[in-house]
Amino acid sequence: MIRPVTLCFPLVYLILTMAGVASHAADPQAGFQGYPEAPAFTVLPREAPLKNYPCMRCHDFLKVKTEPRQLRAPHPELDHGAGRFWCLECHDPENRNSLRTTPPIATNSNEIHTLCGRCHATQERDWYFGAHGKRVGLWQGEREILDCVRCHNPHQPAIQPRKPQPPPAVRSGLERPAGRPEPVVPIWEQAVDGLEQPREQQHE
Amino acid sequence: MVWNNHENSNMSDQHDVSTQSAGTVTVPDPHRRRLLKQLGIAGAAGTTAASAPAWGGSTLLDALGGFFQDQYQRMSPSEIEAALARIERKAKRDLGVDIHCDNTPPQAGVVFGYALNVSRCRGYRDCVQACIQENNHGRDPSSTAYIRVLELDHGQMNLEQADQYYDPETVPVPGKYYLPVQCMQCADPPCVKACPVEATWMEPDGIVVVDYDWCIGCRYCMTACPYWARHFNWKQPTIPADQVNPDTHYLGNRPRPVGVVEKCHFCIQRTRKGRLPACAEACPTGARVFGNLLDPHSEIRYVLANKPVFQLKSELGTEPKFWYFTD
């Protein structure tokens, strides 16, 4: 016997769809449209225009090679994705001026986050809401933020270590401490030793 | 002048000139110096008049105006105007710079909050340098700084094991993490309770400020602060004229005298005009999030609602408005 509750679900879904409540799932061509509840923002444009853009100036005449190989100038070395990536993961093989997102965006676009977010979705969500990335200028009023590629080189995204700014001064008349104080054994490591001892005794 | 003998050579020119003009002061022998210290300020009026520059390097009118100046919260608008003008004139005399000092009031419906992503901080100390330049800290080697970046071992939260003097070739050092500490702008600030003269208080936008002219330099607030966030001017801060930030605020980065306590004020001269604090602007990794806690759509509210956040020493109940979070 079919219970009336089971019948209810398709009916409710149909009504909701007709009423337009479920319309946020519409238009797959448009792709991911960002987070509508995120505060509005403008992305600061790139500091310098891309050197080799548009790519099709050369690649119009070059054959598409899909197999990975040693890259030569003017192309940068690729160190992204631990060797699993090749140019065409991100660059469109048909039209190198654009990047492979839905819909495609230009390589020099300020919407690069739509590409990065395909893998780094958590970071992208945080970037939309302001927990990742960097806001510049004002905390109030128009929200101006930096794009992913302002900080991360897309071809070598890991940020390299560098020299820190000088350490703070010691007040005149005082000496800087010679070294760090002796590290204490963390309490959990002490506890492990204490626990293992009786266990061995039990086995004996 | 007695105090200046054991300070290094880059004390302000004003003192040098006055010493020559007075012509009476030589290096006092240690016994005499100790005696003078014991006599203290009460008895030293006559002594300083003989040795210090006339009226402390000011005009008589400014010296009297400064002497009778009231606490900031009790001053009338015209008295504040006069005080601001005195500050500008003093900066011109002492530092040789035309500064602009204002007292921009707090904005309605704004309480400032700060969040710092510990997993993004890489210990570059760019924030420290930006703060020193923005807030007119002395540039001599033993001057103060509002931000302390602590280096800690992974898995370690014991601040006594932290190293603020780290200086390796490159940061981050593997196995270490970095914890910048500055004023937490506590909602229940113990430093304010400790002050015996009400020279420090919390403004309506949540910033704990100091009236440097009202501070007596007793340093009770420094012992009361659990975050090591208050700093004492052991000597007159010296700044080269071309490095002075001329955009100043009475409760913020105006040139401070020797012998008073100061602290991070969330760059009050910038944030009350809508700008980001200098440390947030300087951070190269975007680890710092600043905003209005009362705005439900602000970035800081998103962090507080969606990220694992913690406060430093929250068990003390000081309710810091400065949170740390991780990705």
Side-chain angles (χ1 to χ4, degrees):
Chain A
M1 180 193 161
I2 301 168
R3 277 186 286 173
V5 179
T6 323
L7 274 173
C8 266
F9 283 123
L11 199 66
V12 167
Y13 180 73
L14 197 69
I15 292 164
L16 283 178
T17 317
M18 287 169 76
V21 174
S23 64
H24 57 83
D27 197 8
Q29 290 299 313
F32 175 63
Q33 294 291 299
Y35 295 87
E37 65 273 32
F41 61 86
T42 53
V43 173
L44 281 201
R46 275 171 196 273
E47 277 174 319
L50 290 175
K51 257 188 302 182
N52 300 317
Y53 191 82
C55 314
M56 292 306 271
R57 217 162 34 190
C58 300
H59 281 277
D60 219 0
F61 312 106
L62 297 172
K63 226 180 95 190
V64 177
K65 296 184 197 162
T66 50
E67 68 283 357
R69 63 193 183 282
Q70 185 67 43
L71 283 171
R72 284 195 295 271
H75 289 297
E77 197 183 327
L78 184 66
D79 184 14
H80 189 172
R84 288 165 296 189
F85 279 8
W86 182 239
C87 311
L88 303 179
E89 309 292 339
C90 298
H91 294 275
D92 191 339
E94 304 304 323
N95 176 10
R96 295 303 171 82
N97 290 346
S98 66
L99 293 164
R100 296 178 70 167
T101 57
T102 48
I105 54 163
T107 304
N108 62 349
S109 159
N110 286 327
E111 289 163 13
I112 201 89
H113 57 273
T114 55
L115 176 66
C116 305
R118 284 165 64 200
C119 297
H120 305 284
T122 325
Q123 281 84 347
E124 190 194 21
R125 189 194 62 219
D126 283 348
W127 178 82
Y128 266 96
F129 288 94
H132 185 107
K134 188 168 158 65
R135 181 173 180 161
V136 288
L138 307 176
W139 63 266
Q140 200 170 28
E142 194 187 4
R143 182 170 165 234
E144 289 182 315
I145 54 176
L146 299 185
D147 216 335
C148 313
V149 292
R150 274 290 191 103
C151 303
H152 304 277
N153 179 348
H155 301 110
Q156 294 120 28
I159 293 171
Q160 297 304 314
R162 71 163 168 85
K163 178 84 181 153
Q165 299 281 352
V170 183
R171 208 176 79 210
S172 57
L174 296 182
E175 292 287 319
R176 178 174 296 183
R180 298 172 75 145
E182 282 294 308
V184 286
V185 180
I187 189 95
W188 55 90
E189 285 179 18
Q190 294 172 15
V192 168
D193 289 347
L195 281 176
E196 279 178 351
Q197 200 61 33
R199 211 177 285 158
E200 283 168 11
Q201 284 169 354
Q202 279 175 2
H203 285 295
E204 284 166 7
Chain B
M1 236 16 247
V2 178
W3 320 97
N4 285 331
N5 290 316
H6 42 88
E7 288 185 2
N8 59 24
S9 57
N10 49 6
M11 61 185 182
S12 60
D13 296 336
Q14 162 214 333
H15 287 293
D16 290 338
V17 171
S18 67
T19 313
Q20 286 157 12
S21 63
T24 52
V25 172
T26 51
V27 178
D29 63 87
H31 296 289
R32 187 177 156 233
R33 195 189 300 164
R34 210 179 308 141
L35 176 71
L36 285 174
K37 274 189 182 171
Q38 283 165 356
L39 281 174
I41 298 161
T47 325
T48 42
S51 56
W55 321 120
S58 324
T59 60
L60 174 58
L61 214 59
D62 274 7
L64 282 175
F67 186 78
F68 290 110
Q69 184 180 315
D70 207 345
Q71 200 249 24
Y72 177 77
Q73 290 168 301
R74 292 198 289 263
M75 275 196 276
S76 68
S78 62
E79 285 171 337
I80 290 177
E81 280 302 311
L84 295 175
R86 275 198 297 276
I87 289 165
E88 289 173 0
R89 283 196 295 272
K90 183 161 169 45
K92 181 70 179 165
R93 274 195 307 273
D94 291 358
L95 305 164
V97 187
D98 287 311
I99 66 164
H100 169 71
C101 190
D102 60 29
N103 66 331
T104 313
Q107 296 183 24
V110 172
V111 170
F112 291 121
Y114 215 127
L116 195 147
N117 192 340
V118 186
S119 46
R120 294 267 163 252
C121 179
R122 295 166 74 85
Y124 294 145
R125 287 206 195 95
D126 282 359
C127 51
V128 181
Q129 285 304 313
C131 174
I132 287 174
Q133 282 160 24
E134 169 70 28
N135 289 315
N136 288 327
H137 286 288
R139 301 299 196 277
D140 42 61
S142 71
S143 61
T144 56
Y146 293 156
I147 308 176
R148 243 181 263 267
V149 187
L150 305 181
E151 187 185 64
L152 288 143
D153 291 330
H154 277 175
Q156 185 66 267
M157 198 58 223
N158 185 353
L159 298 186
E160 287 177 25
Q161 301 291 317
D163 180 14
Q164 60 160 327
Y165 298 112
Y166 68 89
D167 193 24
E169 275 308 301
T170 57
V171 284
V173 177
K176 309 277 187 194
Y177 77 98
Y178 298 88
L179 188 79
V181 178
Q182 60 202 80
C183 177
M184 302 281 153
Q185 314 291 355
C186 306
D188 190 10
C191 53
V192 169
K193 294 180 206 165
C195 182
V197 295
E198 295 181 6
T200 182
W201 66 94
M202 186 159 65
E203 286 279 291
D205 53 4
I207 303 179
V208 178
V209 294
V210 182
D211 184 349
Y212 311 114
D213 292 336
W214 201 251
C215 173
I216 57 171
C218 70
R219 296 182 277 143
Y220 285 5
C221 55
M222 289 171 69
T223 51
C225 175
Y227 304 103
W228 216 8
R230 287 184 161 253
H231 305 269
F232 187 67
N233 279 305
W234 287 95
K235 52 189 288 190
Q236 180 69 43
T238 53
I239 317 165
D242 58 334
Q243 291 179 28
V244 173
N245 176 11
D247 180 21
T248 64
H249 191 284
Y250 182 95
L251 301 169
N253 62 341
R254 68 180 166 109
R256 276 88 61 189
V258 65
V260 298
V261 172
E262 54 180 87
K263 61 182 280 299
C264 162
H265 39 78
F266 277 179
C267 282
I268 197 165
Q269 68 280 359
R270 295 167 66 106
T271 48
R272 282 196 175 169
K273 294 172 184 164
R275 296 172 70 198
L276 285 167
C279 49
E281 196 170 273
C283 180
T285 64
R288 288 167 171 271
V289 179
F290 181 82
N292 180 8
L293 290 171
L294 301 185
D295 176 8
H297 304 294
S298 64
E299 291 153 331
I300 183 142
R301 284 285 292 271
Y302 176 81
V303 169
L304 294 182
N306 294 282
K307 291 285 168 184
V309 294
F310 67 92
Q311 296 163 320
L312 210 57
K313 303 188 187 180
S314 58
E315 71 276 12
L316 299 178
T318 58
E319 288 298 328
K321 292 194 288 292
F322 193 107
W323 288 266
Y324 296 92
F325 70 103
T326 52
D327 274 337

